[in-house]
Amino acid sequence: MTRRWICLLLAVLTMLTCTACGEEEAPGDVALGYDDPYLYTQIGGVLHRISPHSASVTPVCPDPLCKHEDETCPFYGVESIQFAGQYLYYLKMSRNWDGTSALCRFDLKNGTFRELYRPEAGTLSNFYAGEDYVFLNLGGVDEEWNNYYHILRLDPDSGEAVQLTKEPLQESQIPLLIENGRVYWSGDGHYSTDFEYQDRKDGDRGYSPNVTRQDHVYELESGEIKGEEGYKQMCFRVVRVDVKTGERVTVTEDAASAPILYEDRVIYGKLEKLRYLGKVYDEETDSWKEQYDKYGGKLYICNGDGTGERVLCDLGDAPYAFTVSHGILGGKTGVGDWIALWVFHYVPADENDPEKVKRAENAYLLVNVKTGEWKVAERETRS
């Protein structure tokens, strides 16, 4: 049976002007229509924001004295994020491998931070924030070293957490959507429950907002192995499904990178004629080996039904190369006419030999989905 994922990655945001990191939020109405002008990514475990306007990548933390190196930074150890109105919810995980975690909330409008819930034991995962509640998993390990999970419901205003499962679950259950008083889950099948994790309806399927547009959901399926020798990989088949009729339309069979779903368009890389980048030092063989870009420096775009495919941008001879993933968090994939994705960056390695290059820190490519114009917010070279 063909293996299928419901996904499509990317990312999102926070505010340019904010107050002190640890300041508590003031009570107030949620600005459901709040529009944040940034995209978000994780660099070294620290949440960063990308500004398409200034082509800059900066830490979300506004404290000028904070080094963003340990858990004293409120945006250090960020594992996953979700946007809900003016709020950015995220899991903050310990980097000390002790399994501790906390669910936090950042007010994009007012620039205030709050830790909502930190369990006394166990690790939080797989959360979904709705208008009134956050549903999430609390995992642990029993005496026989078996993983188990409980479902929690959290009131983000009071911080009260209620354990909804009496008996531990053997696998994590992923909350995908809250709609019309129901929570839609994926785990041991697709199903929905009420807010008490009762009244389970098997087969009642919901879809993450990250992969839906109007009445369609986008799925990834395993495709064929393609590419030139030494650079072969499995491609993805992107399928658009009408959630009302079940009609399935193949958008493309050639997506060689994680597709970006932005508005009613799909953006992806394809395996192209290899583009020469230079010679990179290989420690195992103690030699300089030719390095190529298997995507040919090109990014493609098409309509949601697969029509109108065209090259969105071509990097030409620029020292950048696309990657399999795009590195943007939270499902927010663009701002205005701009999307963002990370790219490999190659810089000179030997001033006496222009062919020799080395990997620098990943750069972030900003692409205008209408004109194909692109610009890069670069990061410093690796030491």
Side-chain angles (χ1 to χ4, degrees):
M1 179 180 293
T2 302
R3 185 180 179 185
R4 181 174 299 160
W5 298 270
I6 298 180
C7 60
L8 292 170
L9 321 159
L10 251 156
V12 228
L13 352 270
T14 186
M15 207 167 156
L16 181 60
T17 306
C18 31
T19 57
C21 291
E23 184 175 343
E24 290 288 313
E25 295 174 341
D29 295 332
V30 176
L32 295 178
Y34 179 73
D35 188 16
D36 184 80
Y38 301 99
L39 299 172
Y40 291 80
T41 189
Q42 183 210 73
I43 302 174
V46 179
L47 189 63
H48 285 65
R49 60 188 172 200
I50 304 168
S51 169
H53 176 71
S54 63
S56 62
V57 184
T58 57
V60 171
C61 178
D63 186 349
L65 300 180
C66 182
K67 295 182 179 180
H68 322 299
E69 295 177 345
D70 55 38
E71 295 182 32
T72 59
C73 175
F75 299 98
Y76 179 86
V78 174
E79 292 293 326
S80 58
I81 69 174
Q82 183 205 326
F83 300 93
Q86 74 191 55
Y87 294 121
L88 168 62
Y89 289 84
Y90 64 95
L91 285 178
K92 179 177 168 64
M93 311 296 287
S94 171
R95 311 295 280 193
N96 297 323
W97 309 105
D98 58 5
T100 59
S101 56
L103 180 68
C104 305
R105 185 170 75 178
F106 181 62
D107 190 323
L108 298 165
K109 184 178 180 181
N110 300 322
T112 51
F113 159 85
R114 181 181 175 190
E115 182 178 290
L116 299 177
Y117 177 69
R118 180 183 293 270
E120 294 182 0
T123 302
L124 301 175
S125 64
N126 294 332
F127 73 93
Y128 186 89
E131 186 174 346
D132 299 313
Y133 296 111
V134 180
F135 291 86
L136 65 167
N137 286 231
L138 175 63
V141 179
D142 63 22
E143 295 179 354
E144 297 181 354
W145 297 99
N146 296 313
N147 292 323
Y148 68 85
Y149 303 90
H150 281 288
I151 304 298
L152 303 184
R153 185 189 66 210
L154 175 71
D155 183 329
D157 293 324
S158 67
E160 179 186 9
V162 178
Q163 180 176 304
L164 301 178
T165 47
K166 294 181 180 179
E167 299 296 327
L169 306 176
Q170 293 184 346
E171 60 182 296
S172 177
Q173 306 297 302
I174 304 172
L176 301 172
L177 177 69
I178 299 175
E179 188 174 68
N180 298 324
R182 305 289 295 178
V183 186
Y184 293 84
W185 304 83
S186 173
D188 54 349
H190 291 275
Y191 61 97
S192 71
T193 67
D194 59 21
F195 285 0
E196 301 295 327
Y197 200 65
Q198 300 294 318
D199 188 27
R200 173 169 170 154
K201 296 181 180 180
D202 288 317
D204 193 12
R205 189 165 185 172
Y207 298 94
S208 166
N210 294 346
V211 297
T212 56
R213 293 297 182 271
Q214 297 179 344
D215 294 327
H216 297 98
V217 61
Y218 290 80
E219 298 181 351
L220 294 186
E221 298 177 350
S222 303
E224 298 179 3
I225 302 295
K226 298 183 179 181
E228 297 192 27
E229 197 62 40
Y231 290 85
K232 292 183 180 295
Q233 70 167 71
M234 184 191 72
C235 291
F236 296 112
R237 182 182 300 110
V238 183
V239 179
R240 189 183 74 169
V241 183
D242 189 311
V243 296
K244 292 183 177 180
T245 67
E247 179 187 11
R248 302 176 66 84
V249 174
T250 297
V251 178
T252 180
E253 296 183 347
D254 298 323
S257 63
I260 299 171
L261 183 61
Y262 187 47
E263 297 178 342
D264 59 348
R265 287 158 286 189
V266 183
I267 302 162
Y268 47 92
K270 297 169 64 173
L271 297 178
E272 296 277 338
K273 182 178 179 180
L274 297 179
R275 181 174 67 110
Y276 182 65
L277 295 167
K279 294 182 178 180
V280 176
Y281 180 70
D282 181 60
E283 291 185 357
E284 291 186 5
T285 61
D286 189 25
S287 63
W288 292 83
K289 291 188 175 182
E290 293 182 344
Q291 183 74 26
Y292 292 90
D293 171 16
K294 61 185 175 182
Y295 301 110
K298 296 178 181 178
L299 195 64
Y300 285 81
I301 188 171
C302 69
N303 298 323
D305 61 359
T307 61
E309 183 186 70
R310 61 182 175 86
V311 175
L312 174 59
C313 75
D314 188 337
L315 299 180
D317 295 329
Y320 305 101
F322 293 113
T323 69
V324 173
S325 63
H326 49 64
I328 307 302
L329 302 177
K332 181 181 178 183
T333 54
V335 173
D337 294 332
W338 295 90
I339 62 168
L341 65 164
W342 63 11
V343 290
F344 294 143
H345 181 200
Y346 293 86
V347 297
D350 186 340
E351 60 181 13
N352 297 316
D353 188 345
E355 277 200 277
K356 293 181 178 180
V357 297
K358 62 181 179 180
R359 278 273 308 279
E361 292 291 340
N362 288 347
Y364 287 86
L365 189 75
L366 298 161
V367 183
N368 188 297
V369 296
K370 290 184 177 179
T371 67
E373 174 191 356
W374 60 272
K375 52 188 177 180
V376 174
E378 298 180 5
R379 294 187 53 78
E380 62 187 42
T381 303
R382 292 179 180 179
S383 57

